[in-house]
Amino acid sequence: MMRSHSLPSAVHADTALWARAKRVLCVRLDALGDVLMTTPAMHALKHAKPEREITLLTSPSGAAAANHLADVDHVLIHDAPWMKHERAPAVAAMQVLIETLRAAHFDAAVIFTVYSQSALPAAMLCWMAGIPLRLAHARENPYHLLTDWEPEREPTVPVRHEVQRQLDLVASIGAHTIDTRMRFSLSAHDQQSAMRTLAAAGVRIDREWIVVHPGASASSRRYPTEHYALALQRLALHDNLQMLITGAAGEGALVQALASRVPGAASLAGALSLGELAWVISRATLLISNNTAPVHLAAALGTPVVDLYALTNPQHTPWQITSRVLSHDVPCRYCYRSVCVEGHHACLRGVPPDAVAQAAIELLRETRQPSTREAHSFAQATESSLCTR
């Protein structure tokens, strides 16, 4: 029986019921990086019952990873009205989704959220669709919206990494795995098409390269372009690596402005699909990036990262990968804002370009030594070869 307190008590799941759930809906309505950080939990759900079918309900951004997630069998795409969008989604789309979920006859739904989100709108959706088992974190008592739930105690207790948070959630219904790597499968097509694109851009496939990703969807998470340029110029004096500067199609001006200040840098804005970008990162000696999706791709693929980490939130650092996380402490840290309301961007502007170059040099030294990266890459290659999707 549920009890209502200032911090709710969890309802302990009937793990036997969950063990019988064959058709499971995983709800992760955020962006690509959030979906990637949920892949270990989805793997745990699949590992607990290998014949289980996993359907991922996600945003258009998150769905870009669909063909690269070996544990996901089906994908549904939806712009939920309680998530951030430029335009409000149509009511009719929600009605269609409810009917689609109802017709699929799911046995269970697991709703994945960051601790600053409420899972209850998605829980209502799953309840209306008649999904009998429904699991999520809840800050308030969800009563009948969730059949099983874990109390939302963050950030009043130490904040967990986003990956660990979701692993803990599925562990509460008996889904465990000792392999907690993030996951992203590559294909031969990704490699072949990426190699053609790189060759057209003048990149030598037989030489090492680093990838630099200076963009981010939120302006509060962008390291200044002039700082990037100084850091890369100083890094180039130390090591004559090829520099590949990547970005979305809409970031062409940003990427070109940076590439023009770094001799020999290749501008690849808008030139790579997600799979191609992932292959390029997988072959890179190093990634230098703002805290955005390519960091999580690198973590899934075993590539070391220099992460210019805006202090907008604390739980999205690189997972289980050799990295340097750089930021400048500020009183306004963990603001959860897409735009710096203080206007100073000090948590990133305060990171000196010399510190970025030095962090990259340190990681390059480590990368060129025998390391666990080789084992990580072998595991990923083995998983890719077994992927039939």
Side-chain angles (χ1 to χ4, degrees):
M1 180 177 179
M2 298 184 190
R3 300 179 298 276
S4 180
H5 299 287
S6 56
L7 283 174
S9 298
V11 169
H12 296 290
D14 186 334
T15 55
L17 282 177
W18 280 90
R20 292 195 291 271
K22 183 178 179 181
R23 296 172 59 81
V24 176
L25 179 71
C26 291
V27 182
R28 187 81 218 217
L29 291 163
D30 312 81
L32 173 62
D34 304 286
V35 169
L36 293 174
M37 287 185 284
T38 311
T39 55
M42 290 191 288
H43 178 71
L45 288 167
K46 186 75 117 177
H47 179 76
K49 189 178 181 70
E51 68 273 24
R52 177 173 278 159
E53 288 187 12
I54 302 290
T55 296
L56 173 64
L57 173 60
T58 189
S59 66
S61 171
N67 291 330
H68 303 277
L69 305 181
D71 292 312
V72 173
D73 300 288
H74 312 286
V75 176
L76 295 172
I77 303 173
H78 182 67
D79 279 325
W82 56 90
M83 305 300 290
K84 182 181 178 181
H85 304 292
E86 291 188 9
R87 294 184 299 176
V91 173
M94 177 69 73
Q95 295 169 334
V96 169
L97 178 61
I98 291 171
E99 291 308 313
T100 299
L101 297 180
R102 187 182 298 278
H105 300 291
F106 290 107
D107 301 312
V110 182
I111 301 163
F112 298 105
T113 58
V114 295
Y115 67 79
S116 56
Q117 296 171 339
S118 171
L120 296 191
M124 173 72 82
L125 174 71
C126 295
W127 176 75
M128 293 178 71
I131 301 175
L133 295 174
R134 302 174 299 279
L135 170 70
H137 286 97
R139 196 171 300 282
E140 60 270 71
N141 194 321
Y143 295 100
H144 300 291
L145 289 182
L146 294 172
T147 59
D148 305 282
W149 52 285
E150 288 294 304
E152 185 59 89
R153 302 184 187 277
E154 294 176 83
T156 56
V157 298
V159 174
R160 294 166 288 181
H161 193 282
E162 181 66 12
V163 172
Q164 190 61 56
R165 170 183 168 83
Q166 310 310 342
L167 283 168
D168 291 346
L169 181 64
V170 298
S172 72
I173 48 97
H176 303 274
T177 179
I178 60 171
D179 185 356
T180 58
R181 291 175 298 125
M182 289 169 57
R183 294 172 137 68
F184 191 94
S185 297
L186 297 171
S187 70
H189 173 74
D190 297 327
Q191 175 180 346
Q192 292 161 4
S193 57
M195 288 176 68
R196 288 193 295 269
T197 300
L198 294 187
V203 177
R204 289 274 304 276
I205 305 297
D206 59 336
R207 287 182 52 204
E208 290 182 292
W209 61 71
I210 67 171
V211 174
V212 182
H213 193 87
S217 58
S219 63
S220 59
R221 291 188 280 114
R222 296 177 198 148
Y223 190 58
T225 304
E226 63 271 19
H227 284 34
Y228 261 120
L230 289 171
L232 297 183
Q233 289 164 3
R234 290 167 193 180
L235 179 58
L237 293 174
H238 178 270
D239 205 309
N240 190 31
L241 283 174
Q242 299 178 102
M243 295 191 187
L244 281 53
I245 305 180
T246 60
E251 295 171 332
L254 167 66
V255 170
Q256 189 56 47
L258 181 55
S260 68
R261 297 182 62 178
V262 182
S267 171
L268 296 171
L272 300 169
S273 69
L274 178 61
E276 292 163 356
L277 173 63
W279 184 83
V280 169
I281 290 174
S282 77
R283 279 286 313 278
T285 305
L286 177 69
L287 170 71
I288 303 175
S289 177
N290 300 325
N291 184 42
T292 189
V295 167
H296 306 303
L297 280 174
L301 296 165
T303 299
V305 178
V306 174
D307 188 349
L308 289 148
Y309 195 89
L311 296 177
T312 54
N313 53 29
Q315 74 271 36
H316 295 161
T317 52
W319 176 254
Q320 294 184 350
I321 196 67
T322 303
S323 64
R324 296 291 187 275
V325 179
L326 304 180
S327 61
H328 177 71
D329 198 16
V330 289
C332 54
R333 61 186 174 277
Y334 310 148
C335 64
Y336 308 103
R337 299 297 187 93
S338 297
V339 177
C340 178
V341 294
E342 299 293 333
H344 50 52
H345 295 267
C347 62
L348 284 178
R349 282 191 171 275
V351 178
D354 278 342
V356 179
Q358 185 58 39
I361 290 166
E362 291 173 3
L363 283 183
L364 288 170
R365 287 177 184 149
E366 293 179 26
T367 297
R368 287 163 175 158
Q369 300 296 321
S371 70
T372 55
R373 185 184 177 193
E374 294 178 5
H376 190 293
S377 298
F378 175 78
Q380 287 290 338
T382 302
E383 180 180 299
S384 293
S385 70
L386 296 174
C387 178
T388 58
R389 299 189 72 243

